[in-house]
Amino acid sequence: MKFDIAFIGFGTVGRGFADLLLEKRDYLKKAFTIDWRVVAISDIRAGSVMDAEGIDLAEAVRRADSGKSIGDISAGKKGLSALETIRESDANLIVEVTWTNIKDGEPGYAHIRTALEMGKHVATTNKGPIALHYRELMKLSSERGGRLR
């Protein structure tokens, strides 16, 4: 199974998940035949970068951890918004790890909904969109073939 991943949000949680992916890469491949590459990262503070050939995730984590822009990574397209990243990237898995908003679920709700409408899989830690729009998002997931986790 091959995942092309786009991170939407690259703060503490996003970078923590990125660290786990890097640490467990061999294990995921051997135990579950899961292979992955990151093709896009979009973060309101750290910047954005997209490259269909893949992005050096370790470099992106190092840059973000040191307060440098990930937009300076030598790769394809830069400066896209989160929604543009979801729409324009070849990612089949969107890792949505933006801040939680319990009033209306935004911006995570729009990110998740857009990805699911495109048939992309979504992994999220964002409780706002799930708490407020769970039924709708699960229905959309079922109808379009993307999985929401």
Side-chain angles (χ1 to χ4, degrees):
M1 193 175 333
K2 174 102 166 121
F3 290 104
D4 285 344
I5 300 170
F7 278 84
I8 305 301
F10 207 60
T12 303
V13 174
R15 291 193 316 271
F17 183 64
D19 284 337
L20 279 172
L21 282 175
L22 291 166
E23 179 184 328
K24 302 292 185 184
R25 177 171 225 142
D26 291 337
Y27 172 74
L28 291 169
K29 198 169 200 170
K30 288 177 186 171
F32 303 104
T33 64
I34 292 174
D35 196 13
W36 58 267
R37 67 181 170 180
V38 173
V39 296
I41 302 170
S42 180
D43 183 82
I44 199 164
R45 289 188 186 96
S48 70
V49 62
M50 181 173 67
D51 193 322
E53 299 301 313
I55 295 165
D56 183 339
L57 185 57
E59 180 184 357
V61 170
R62 278 192 303 277
R63 287 184 157 284
D65 282 348
S66 66
K68 295 179 183 172
S69 173
I70 59 171
D72 292 338
I73 291 174
S74 177
K77 238 177 181 178
K78 298 171 181 13
L80 298 175
S81 71
L83 288 172
E84 289 170 327
T85 299
I86 293 165
R87 289 184 186 119
E88 295 182 28
S89 76
D90 292 331
N92 58 3
L93 172 60
I94 305 299
V95 175
E96 206 289 339
V97 286
T98 62
W99 64 91
T100 295
N101 172 344
I102 59 169
K103 290 183 181 176
D104 61 9
E106 293 295 356
Y109 170 61
H111 300 155
I112 295 167
R113 187 185 69 242
T114 299
L116 291 174
E117 285 171 345
M118 297 181 71
K120 297 183 181 201
H121 303 297
V122 177
T124 188
T125 58
N126 198 331
K127 295 166 279 309
I130 303 305
L132 299 171
H133 304 283
Y134 177 79
R135 286 189 179 104
E136 173 195 348
L137 293 172
M138 290 307 288
K139 182 176 187 245
L140 190 56
S141 171
S142 175
E143 290 172 354
R144 301 291 173 99
R147 296 185 80 183
L148 175 60
R149 298 284 180 237

